[in-house]
């Protein structure tokens, strides 16, 4: 998440981890230029949470949730 999506760890909980877009001028430029044609879609969210749950030996479920409500609301206001 940190290298591939330009995110930084916001907080580590026992059962999950949350990330936020990496701050700073270099990170902003990197996302704007899209290194090697890469789009940083998750960096548009205010917070991303990931949770890993073991199902049985050798199998797990990975859940990701992204809070995009503030940006979606801003886009809606701009479209009016």
């Amino acid at each position: 998440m940190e290298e591939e999506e330009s995110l930084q760890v916001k907080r580590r909980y026992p059962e999950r981890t949350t990330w936020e877009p990496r701050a700073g001028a270099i990170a902003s430029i990197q996302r704007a230029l899209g290194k090697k044609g890469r789009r940083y879609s998750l960096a548009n969210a205010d917070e991303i949470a990931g949770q890993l749950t073991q199902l049985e030996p050798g199998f797990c479920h990975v859940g990701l949730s992204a809070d995009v409500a503030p940006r979606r609301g801003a886009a809606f206001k701009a479209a009016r």
Side-chain angles (χ1 to χ4, degrees):
M1 297 292 270
E2 295 169 13
E3 292 181 23
E4 296 294 323
E5 292 295 331
S6 188
L7 302 173
Q8 64 186 12
V9 172
K10 183 174 183 181
R11 185 143 186 211
R12 293 185 194 275
Y13 299 95
E15 70 283 350
R16 66 187 173 108
T17 301
T18 58
W19 294 271
E20 62 187 354
R22 198 167 27 173
I26 294 174
S28 296
I29 291 169
Q30 180 184 19
R31 285 191 297 266
L33 296 177
K35 180 177 142 184
K36 297 181 184 176
R38 180 96 173 78
R39 297 184 68 180
Y40 297 95
S41 299
L42 290 178
N44 291 326
D46 282 351
E47 181 179 89
I48 299 91
Q51 184 172 359
L52 185 69
T53 307
Q54 184 174 352
L55 301 174
E56 58 186 67
F59 295 92
C60 63
H61 177 264
V62 177
L64 288 177
S65 60
D67 179 13
V68 295
R71 298 194 192 257
R72 184 174 47 185
F76 178 72
K77 287 179 185 177
R80 291 174 117 191

